[in-house]
Amino acid sequence: MSFSVFNSLTGQKEPFQPADPERVRIYNCGPTVYNFNHIGNFRAYIFVDQLRRYLRFRGYGLDHTSNITDVDDKIIDNALKEGKSIQEFTSPYVDAFLQDLETLRIESVEHRPKATEHIETMLEMIGELDKRGHTYTVDGNVYFKLKSFPEYGKLSKIETQQLMTAAGGRFEADEYDKEDVRDFALWKAPAKKDEPAWESPYGAGRPGWHLECSAMIRNIYGKDGIDIHTGGIDLLFPHHENEIAQSCGAYPGENFVRYWMHNEHLLVESKKMSKSLGNFFTLRDLTEKDRAQKLIDSGVAPSWILDYIESGWMPICIRYLLSATHYRNKLNFTFDGLKAARTSIERIQHAVDELLEKTGLGEDEIQELISARRQGNKPGQGSANLVSKDSPFYDELQEFLHAMDDDLNISRALAAVFEAVKTANTLLSRTTAGEAGSGESGDAASGDSENAKQAAGKSKTGADKPANDVSESLKDALVFLAAVNEVLGVLRFSPEEQGLDDDLATKVEDLLQQRADARKSKDFARADAIRDELTSMGIEIKDTPEGTKWHRI
């Protein structure tokens, strides 16, 4: 069992073999900061977040770079319109992007360079390309000569006859279509008055967009390059194709990228996201009340999204929805999908809450158990021994590993998680029955406890295994779910996170009292309505012999 990925360069799955398993080098194309990021952008960022989380789950070390493009055509045009420097214009969007990452629980990376911090390296790379005959200059603009690089097209599979000649075949724009394959700009002379520019051997100007990523990879990782380069499928051409031409043209014989991984597009309600269709959403449109209200007023979004925002559910529902479809499949973002995401998270979280209550374990204790069970794991084999072979959760762990090792097959992996939840709930119900029986007779309690022990010691096929103590099986359940949440990032295991602000806590207690009164007067419809209202607030209630208990989901 070993991790494999689909390499866009070869068009097939390949065993993952990094240069240094203790330092897997990853690069993903980050945002161009001229506006707030939309949910399609975040599909790409959550994909690479899932990738890095799973690599660490399997014991690999990480050295990950996600850049920020703070100079390009769009940024310059918008900054000039607003009469601002590019730094003044981009700074608020950089801050907003970093806040959005936190909102979606996307992990911090080891490096987050800005393009404008690497101009010197870009000029050095142009110099290397020039030495090897890959460039020419027209009116202060430096272009990459496609005909000088016979390998051009190997990533996007463009046929050489599609390449346009240099005469009339130059492209100054940063973005263009696959049908327009021309020499592209490495360095651009100012086209407008007051356009930002840096001094260079070719005259004042600024870098082309494609050059920026090549230079940042070179500056951070040197001649050994990187193991994995990720991005949306829309970046495969021309951006990533041009990166290969630049980096391999400037430094032939050196490694640039070993594995290219691309995520598919995001659709909204089965349609391509566009402003004209009214289905273009930034993350903030869906997580800030004022912005969400505008969507509701325009008839684009249902009113219940305000409840999701107020109760704190929206960010993790978005994260789950964006991560629960395999990255190489198109993802259809729907409001019904957000509801389904919440249902799925609630199902797992409910089991976690019951397990926390039953075992008395805290988050730190669970992490200590996980760390102890990972001792001695080698990179690529991490987490294989989180539970023992006689644990009722061993099969689910192995299925989770097999699924995620298969190019991050998250759908199969989630099926294993829900199977584990089902097993945990069975154990919990039997132990609870045993506790309830102890008040009537010792024999009844003993019998139910023994049944739970037998369940904990049976395989999924019913074959007997050495009997596990039930409490150890419940610990195994928490270890498994806490460990897989290192990949999922949607659950909580800390009691402190269940706290509510004073106003909300008062409202909850008031609703619980109203529900109790309704039940006493046999107004069960009203009692059910209050339960539904509490659920919409992210509060789960449980009626017990000691009274009604509640917690935040």
Side-chain angles (χ1 to χ4, degrees):
M1 183 168 54
S2 61
F3 185 44
S4 65
V5 300
F6 184 88
N7 190 348
S8 301
L9 184 64
T10 62
Q12 59 188 11
K13 289 181 187 176
E14 300 176 6
F16 180 59
Q17 297 176 334
D20 180 2
E22 301 288 349
R23 183 191 172 219
V24 175
R25 290 164 292 185
I26 308 169
Y27 184 93
N28 75 278
C29 294
T32 301
V33 283
Y34 66 94
N35 207 333
F36 297 116
N37 275 237
H38 58 70
I39 56 175
N41 299 136
F42 284 104
R43 192 202 181 177
Y45 307 142
I46 283 180
F47 152 54
V48 73
D49 184 62
Q50 184 181 84
L51 171 64
R52 66 168 277 134
R53 283 168 174 262
Y54 187 65
L55 286 169
R56 188 176 57 238
F57 184 87
R58 291 301 260 151
Y60 291 103
L62 300 172
D63 190 6
H64 180 182
T65 296
S66 181
N67 78 299
I68 290 176
T69 296
D70 59 346
V71 57
D72 88 324
D73 294 344
K74 293 187 181 104
I75 289 172
I76 290 171
D77 289 345
N78 283 283
L80 290 174
K81 285 177 185 176
E82 296 188 16
K84 296 178 180 178
S85 69
I86 60 172
Q87 196 279 331
E88 291 171 329
F89 175 76
T90 60
S91 182
Y93 293 120
V94 172
D95 293 341
F97 171 69
L98 297 178
Q99 291 166 6
D100 288 348
L101 294 182
E102 290 187 19
T103 296
L104 291 179
R105 303 185 182 184
I106 294 174
E107 294 185 340
S108 297
V109 297
E110 286 68 33
H111 313 279
R112 200 176 294 281
K114 295 178 181 177
T116 53
E117 299 168 347
H118 295 264
I119 300 294
E120 184 177 343
T121 305
M122 297 176 201
L123 291 171
E124 289 173 0
M125 184 169 280
I126 295 175
E128 292 297 323
L129 289 168
D130 189 42
K131 287 180 191 176
R132 292 172 172 80
H134 294 300
T135 70
Y136 61 94
T137 305
V138 177
D139 298 329
N141 298 302
V142 183
Y143 296 94
F144 187 96
K145 192 190 316 178
L146 296 188
K147 293 289 187 181
S148 71
F149 191 70
E151 295 180 64
Y152 192 87
K154 67 179 182 179
L155 179 65
S156 54
K157 311 300 185 289
I158 289 177
E159 299 295 333
T160 54
Q161 56 263 35
Q162 288 183 253
L163 304 183
M164 298 183 69
T165 59
R170 290 186 292 272
F171 235 119
E172 295 180 11
D174 286 332
E175 300 178 42
Y176 48 91
D177 297 326
K178 204 168 182 177
E179 288 72 28
D180 289 313
V181 189
R182 319 185 195 185
D183 297 346
F184 59 90
L186 298 166
W187 189 258
K188 300 182 179 185
K192 300 175 183 177
K193 182 183 178 182
D194 298 326
E195 186 172 305
W198 288 261
E199 290 302 320
S200 81
Y202 317 101
R206 49 97 175 181
W209 173 47
H210 310 295
L211 182 64
E212 296 172 4
C213 287
S214 286
M216 285 183 273
I217 291 172
R218 179 72 182 182
N219 204 31
I220 293 169
Y221 298 105
K223 66 179 182 179
D224 293 328
I226 57 176
D227 297 300
I228 303 174
H229 196 317
T230 75
I233 194 69
D234 56 309
L235 295 181
L236 189 147
F237 181 88
H239 187 49
H240 292 163
E241 191 72 69
N242 291 352
E243 281 188 47
I244 292 174
Q246 294 161 162
S247 296
C248 297
Y251 305 103
E254 296 181 4
N255 175 65
F256 178 43
V257 177
R258 290 180 175 82
Y259 304 90
W260 289 90
M261 299 178 71
H262 293 91
N263 65 275
E264 260 291 355
H265 292 296
L266 178 139
L267 305 175
V268 175
E269 302 289 350
S270 301
K271 296 178 181 178
K272 184 177 180 181
M273 186 168 57
S274 71
K275 292 180 180 178
S276 62
L277 292 175
N279 66 351
F280 182 95
F281 305 133
T282 68
L283 179 66
R284 294 179 175 228
D285 290 334
L286 300 174
T287 57
E288 295 181 358
K289 288 177 63 176
D290 291 345
R291 290 173 176 267
Q293 187 64 58
K294 291 179 181 178
L295 296 180
I296 296 167
D297 293 343
S298 64
V300 173
S303 60
W304 55 258
I305 67 172
L306 291 179
D307 292 333
Y308 275 47
I309 294 170
E310 290 174 350
S311 62
W313 268 101
M314 187 61 84
I316 59 173
C317 287
I318 292 174
R319 178 182 174 88
Y320 187 95
L321 180 56
L322 294 183
S323 64
T325 297
H326 189 267
Y327 75 92
R328 285 192 290 115
N329 293 335
K330 284 186 172 68
L331 189 157
N332 188 25
F333 183 96
T334 68
F335 289 104
D336 284 345
L338 288 175
K339 281 189 170 182
R342 176 169 176 169
T343 299
S344 296
I345 298 168
E346 285 178 330
R347 184 177 166 193
I348 308 171
Q349 188 64 59
H350 176 78
V352 168
D353 290 337
E354 292 287 309
L355 289 163
L356 290 171
E357 183 177 352
K358 188 67 64 177
T359 63
L361 292 176
E363 188 173 28
D364 290 343
E365 294 168 293
I366 298 168
Q367 289 305 316
E368 287 174 6
L369 285 172
I370 292 173
S371 297
R373 296 180 187 191
R374 281 176 171 158
Q375 286 295 320
N377 285 176
K378 295 180 180 179
Q381 300 174 10
S383 302
N385 301 315
L386 285 171
V387 298
S388 63
K389 289 185 178 181
D390 61 347
S391 168
F393 299 96
Y394 180 77
D395 291 345
E396 284 88 347
L397 172 62
Q398 297 309 307
E399 177 59 18
F400 182 85
L401 293 172
H402 279 293
M404 293 299 285
D405 278 349
D406 182 17
D407 191 36
L408 303 178
N409 190 333
I410 187 63
S411 300
R412 264 181 56 199
L414 285 171
V417 172
F418 286 113
E419 188 63 30
V421 168
K422 181 179 177 182
T423 302
N425 286 336
T426 299
L427 288 169
L428 285 163
S429 65
R430 289 177 178 173
T431 55
T432 300
E435 289 171 1
S438 66
E440 299 174 10
S441 80
D443 290 341
S446 175
D448 284 329
S449 179
E450 185 60 32
N451 286 339
K453 287 184 179 182
Q454 289 175 4
K458 282 183 177 285
S459 71
K460 297 298 176 290
T461 61
D464 288 334
K465 294 181 179 181
N468 251 11
D469 182 84
V470 177
S471 64
E472 289 303 311
S473 293
L474 296 181
K475 287 181 182 178
D476 283 351
L478 274 176
V479 164
F480 173 78
L481 292 173
V484 300
N485 190 56
E486 295 172 2
V487 180
L488 303 179
V490 295
L491 305 174
R492 56 161 176 75
F493 291 81
S494 173
E496 288 77 19
E497 294 184 35
Q498 298 182 37
L500 305 177
D501 61 62
D502 291 342
D503 290 342
L504 187 54
T506 300
K507 183 176 181 181
V508 169
E509 294 294 348
D510 181 55
L511 287 170
L512 288 175
Q513 184 59 54
Q514 292 181 42
R515 180 174 177 270
D517 294 341
R519 295 179 74 191
K520 283 181 182 178
S521 61
K522 299 188 183 301
D523 187 354
F524 298 113
R526 172 60 179 156
D528 289 343
I530 293 172
R531 177 190 284 272
D532 291 342
E533 183 178 354
L534 288 164
T535 299
S536 72
M537 294 165 56
I539 304 299
E540 182 175 67
I541 62 175
K542 183 178 181 182
D543 295 315
T544 73
E546 294 80 29
T548 301
K549 296 182 179 180
W550 63 270
H551 64 268
R552 190 164 191 169
I553 306 171

mmCIF file of all heavy atoms in Angstrom, residues 6 23 38 59 76 100 105 160 166 242 298 315 347 359 373 381 389 396 416 439 517:
data_model
loop_
_atom_site.group_PDB
_atom_site.id
_atom_site.type_symbol
_atom_site.label_atom_id
_atom_site.label_comp_id
_atom_site.label_asym_id
_atom_site.label_seq_id
_atom_site.Cartn_x
_atom_site.Cartn_y
_atom_site.Cartn_z
ATOM 1 N N PHE A 6 -2.338 11.039 -9.813
ATOM 2 C CA PHE A 6 -2.502 11.174 -11.256
ATOM 3 C C PHE A 6 -1.632 12.334 -11.721
ATOM 4 O O PHE A 6 -1.826 13.476 -11.290
ATOM 5 C CB PHE A 6 -3.960 11.432 -11.622
ATOM 6 C CG PHE A 6 -4.203 11.492 -13.108
ATOM 7 C CD1 PHE A 6 -4.482 10.333 -13.816
ATOM 8 C CD2 PHE A 6 -4.138 12.698 -13.793
ATOM 9 C CE1 PHE A 6 -4.710 10.381 -15.189
ATOM 10 C CE2 PHE A 6 -4.351 12.761 -15.151
ATOM 11 C CZ PHE A 6 -4.639 11.594 -15.860
ATOM 12 N N ARG A 23 10.889 15.945 3.274
ATOM 13 C CA ARG A 23 10.657 17.326 2.842
ATOM 14 C C ARG A 23 10.005 17.323 1.454
ATOM 15 O O ARG A 23 10.644 17.578 0.453
ATOM 16 C CB ARG A 23 11.967 18.112 2.810
ATOM 17 C CG ARG A 23 11.823 19.579 2.440
ATOM 18 C CD ARG A 23 13.173 20.226 2.176
ATOM 19 N NE ARG A 23 13.034 21.568 1.648
ATOM 20 C CZ ARG A 23 13.812 22.084 0.696
ATOM 21 N NH1 ARG A 23 14.797 21.366 0.166
ATOM 22 N NH2 ARG A 23 13.618 23.318 0.247
ATOM 23 N N HIS A 38 -13.382 33.971 -5.281
ATOM 24 C CA HIS A 38 -14.676 33.312 -5.388
ATOM 25 C C HIS A 38 -14.558 31.839 -4.987
ATOM 26 O O HIS A 38 -13.458 31.305 -4.809
ATOM 27 C CB HIS A 38 -15.274 33.472 -6.785
ATOM 28 C CG HIS A 38 -14.417 32.943 -7.906
ATOM 29 N ND1 HIS A 38 -14.190 31.590 -8.110
ATOM 30 C CD2 HIS A 38 -13.726 33.588 -8.884
ATOM 31 C CE1 HIS A 38 -13.427 31.422 -9.168
ATOM 32 N NE2 HIS A 38 -13.117 32.609 -9.653
ATOM 33 N N GLY A 59 2.844 10.572 7.106
ATOM 34 C CA GLY A 59 4.176 10.632 7.689
ATOM 35 C C GLY A 59 5.209 11.414 6.917
ATOM 36 O O GLY A 59 6.384 11.449 7.300
ATOM 37 N N ILE A 76 -2.777 46.113 -12.342
ATOM 38 C CA ILE A 76 -2.298 47.417 -12.808
ATOM 39 C C ILE A 76 -3.451 48.274 -13.308
ATOM 40 O O ILE A 76 -3.576 49.461 -12.955
ATOM 41 C CB ILE A 76 -1.228 47.232 -13.898
ATOM 42 C CG1 ILE A 76 0.044 46.656 -13.279
ATOM 43 C CG2 ILE A 76 -0.925 48.556 -14.598
ATOM 44 C CD1 ILE A 76 1.084 46.229 -14.282
ATOM 45 N N ASP A 100 -9.782 34.651 4.706
ATOM 46 C CA ASP A 100 -10.658 33.637 4.108
ATOM 47 C C ASP A 100 -10.080 32.230 4.279
ATOM 48 O O ASP A 100 -10.821 31.264 4.491
ATOM 49 C CB ASP A 100 -10.862 33.920 2.619
ATOM 50 C CG ASP A 100 -11.759 35.125 2.371
ATOM 51 O OD1 ASP A 100 -12.404 35.593 3.326
ATOM 52 O OD2 ASP A 100 -11.807 35.601 1.217
ATOM 53 N N ARG A 105 -10.535 26.987 7.361
ATOM 54 C CA ARG A 105 -9.617 26.072 8.049
ATOM 55 C C ARG A 105 -8.551 25.515 7.108
ATOM 56 O O ARG A 105 -8.130 24.358 7.228
ATOM 57 C CB ARG A 105 -10.379 24.928 8.722
ATOM 58 C CG ARG A 105 -11.444 25.385 9.705
ATOM 59 C CD ARG A 105 -12.085 24.217 10.435
ATOM 60 N NE ARG A 105 -13.148 24.678 11.337
ATOM 61 C CZ ARG A 105 -13.834 23.894 12.158
ATOM 62 N NH1 ARG A 105 -13.569 22.594 12.193
ATOM 63 N NH2 ARG A 105 -14.780 24.380 12.933
ATOM 64 N N THR A 160 2.676 20.465 -32.451
ATOM 65 C CA THR A 160 3.630 21.506 -32.862
ATOM 66 C C THR A 160 3.104 22.339 -34.022
ATOM 67 O O THR A 160 3.437 23.515 -34.152
ATOM 68 C CB THR A 160 4.970 20.867 -33.259
ATOM 69 O OG1 THR A 160 4.721 19.856 -34.256
ATOM 70 C CG2 THR A 160 5.654 20.233 -32.075
ATOM 71 N N ALA A 166 6.587 33.642 -35.185
ATOM 72 C CA ALA A 166 6.832 34.883 -34.463
ATOM 73 C C ALA A 166 6.208 36.077 -35.166
ATOM 74 O O ALA A 166 5.759 37.023 -34.531
ATOM 75 C CB ALA A 166 8.332 35.099 -34.302
ATOM 76 N N ASN A 242 3.725 27.269 -19.948
ATOM 77 C CA ASN A 242 4.750 28.301 -20.066
ATOM 78 C C ASN A 242 5.775 28.233 -18.939
ATOM 79 O O ASN A 242 6.959 28.535 -19.143
ATOM 80 C CB ASN A 242 4.104 29.678 -20.111
ATOM 81 C CG ASN A 242 3.337 29.916 -21.397
ATOM 82 O OD1 ASN A 242 3.396 29.106 -22.328
ATOM 83 N ND2 ASN A 242 2.591 31.017 -21.466
ATOM 84 N N SER A 298 -32.173 39.311 -3.833
ATOM 85 C CA SER A 298 -32.203 39.205 -5.295
ATOM 86 C C SER A 298 -32.746 37.866 -5.774
ATOM 87 O O SER A 298 -32.824 37.622 -6.985
ATOM 88 C CB SER A 298 -30.790 39.419 -5.860
ATOM 89 O OG SER A 298 -29.911 38.392 -5.414
ATOM 90 N N PRO A 315 -18.991 28.114 7.204
ATOM 91 C CA PRO A 315 -17.630 27.821 6.743
ATOM 92 C C PRO A 315 -17.309 26.333 6.644
ATOM 93 O O PRO A 315 -16.717 25.887 5.650
ATOM 94 C CB PRO A 315 -16.744 28.514 7.788
ATOM 95 C CG PRO A 315 -17.591 29.614 8.330
ATOM 96 C CD PRO A 315 -18.979 29.046 8.353
ATOM 97 N N ARG A 347 -23.716 14.116 11.599
ATOM 98 C CA ARG A 347 -23.729 12.674 11.859
ATOM 99 C C ARG A 347 -22.416 12.221 12.498
ATOM 100 O O ARG A 347 -22.410 11.452 13.462
ATOM 101 C CB ARG A 347 -23.964 11.934 10.541
ATOM 102 C CG ARG A 347 -24.091 10.429 10.679
ATOM 103 C CD ARG A 347 -24.391 9.842 9.315
ATOM 104 N NE ARG A 347 -24.210 8.391 9.309
ATOM 105 C CZ ARG A 347 -24.167 7.661 8.214
ATOM 106 N NH1 ARG A 347 -24.286 8.244 7.029
ATOM 107 N NH2 ARG A 347 -23.998 6.359 8.278
ATOM 108 N N THR A 359 -16.042 8.405 27.142
ATOM 109 C CA THR A 359 -14.664 8.064 27.521
ATOM 110 C C THR A 359 -14.065 9.053 28.505
ATOM 111 O O THR A 359 -13.123 8.718 29.231
ATOM 112 C CB THR A 359 -13.762 8.019 26.286
ATOM 113 O OG1 THR A 359 -13.709 9.327 25.686
ATOM 114 C CG2 THR A 359 -14.257 7.000 25.272
ATOM 115 N N ARG A 373 0.792 6.095 18.993
ATOM 116 C CA ARG A 373 0.551 5.005 18.044
ATOM 117 C C ARG A 373 1.237 5.237 16.701
ATOM 118 O O ARG A 373 1.304 4.333 15.873
ATOM 119 C CB ARG A 373 -0.959 4.826 17.851
ATOM 120 C CG ARG A 373 -1.655 4.377 19.143
ATOM 121 C CD ARG A 373 -3.152 4.189 18.957
ATOM 122 N NE ARG A 373 -3.806 3.916 20.235
ATOM 123 C CZ ARG A 373 -5.064 3.504 20.346
ATOM 124 N NH1 ARG A 373 -5.801 3.333 19.262
ATOM 125 N NH2 ARG A 373 -5.595 3.278 21.542
ATOM 126 N N GLN A 381 4.172 5.580 5.268
ATOM 127 C CA GLN A 381 3.510 4.498 5.991
ATOM 128 C C GLN A 381 2.831 4.999 7.258
ATOM 129 O O GLN A 381 2.340 4.211 8.067
ATOM 130 C CB GLN A 381 4.523 3.408 6.341
ATOM 131 C CG GLN A 381 5.194 2.789 5.129
ATOM 132 C CD GLN A 381 6.299 1.812 5.506
ATOM 133 O OE1 GLN A 381 6.452 1.454 6.668
ATOM 134 N NE2 GLN A 381 7.065 1.392 4.521
ATOM 135 N N LYS A 389 -5.055 -4.665 14.900
ATOM 136 C CA LYS A 389 -5.798 -5.520 13.974
ATOM 137 C C LYS A 389 -7.050 -6.119 14.601
ATOM 138 O O LYS A 389 -7.980 -6.483 13.880
ATOM 139 C CB LYS A 389 -4.887 -6.637 13.459
ATOM 140 C CG LYS A 389 -3.815 -6.146 12.497
ATOM 141 C CD LYS A 389 -3.016 -7.302 11.909
ATOM 142 C CE LYS A 389 -1.990 -6.789 10.909
ATOM 143 N NZ LYS A 389 -1.198 -7.898 10.304
ATOM 144 N N GLU A 396 -11.988 -0.168 8.807
ATOM 145 C CA GLU A 396 -12.294 1.178 8.332
ATOM 146 C C GLU A 396 -11.020 2.000 8.128
ATOM 147 O O GLU A 396 -10.910 2.761 7.163
ATOM 148 C CB GLU A 396 -13.226 1.897 9.318
ATOM 149 C CG GLU A 396 -14.662 1.438 9.247
ATOM 150 C CD GLU A 396 -14.942 0.252 10.158
ATOM 151 O OE1 GLU A 396 -13.980 -0.372 10.651
ATOM 152 O OE2 GLU A 396 -16.134 -0.047 10.384
ATOM 153 N N ALA A 416 -15.758 5.024 4.367
ATOM 154 C CA ALA A 416 -15.121 4.317 5.486
ATOM 155 C C ALA A 416 -15.349 5.052 6.801
ATOM 156 O O ALA A 416 -15.557 4.433 7.856
ATOM 157 C CB ALA A 416 -13.624 4.156 5.213
ATOM 158 N N GLY A 439 -29.235 -0.488 36.885
ATOM 159 C CA GLY A 439 -30.135 -0.031 37.937
ATOM 160 C C GLY A 439 -31.186 -1.060 38.286
ATOM 161 O O GLY A 439 -31.853 -0.941 39.296
ATOM 162 N N ASP A 517 -42.242 23.251 28.899
ATOM 163 C CA ASP A 517 -43.624 23.640 29.183
ATOM 164 C C ASP A 517 -44.582 23.044 28.140
ATOM 165 O O ASP A 517 -45.684 22.584 28.481
ATOM 166 C CB ASP A 517 -43.769 25.166 29.199
ATOM 167 C CG ASP A 517 -42.999 25.802 30.356
ATOM 168 O OD1 ASP A 517 -42.672 25.066 31.326
ATOM 169 O OD2 ASP A 517 -42.715 27.016 30.278
#
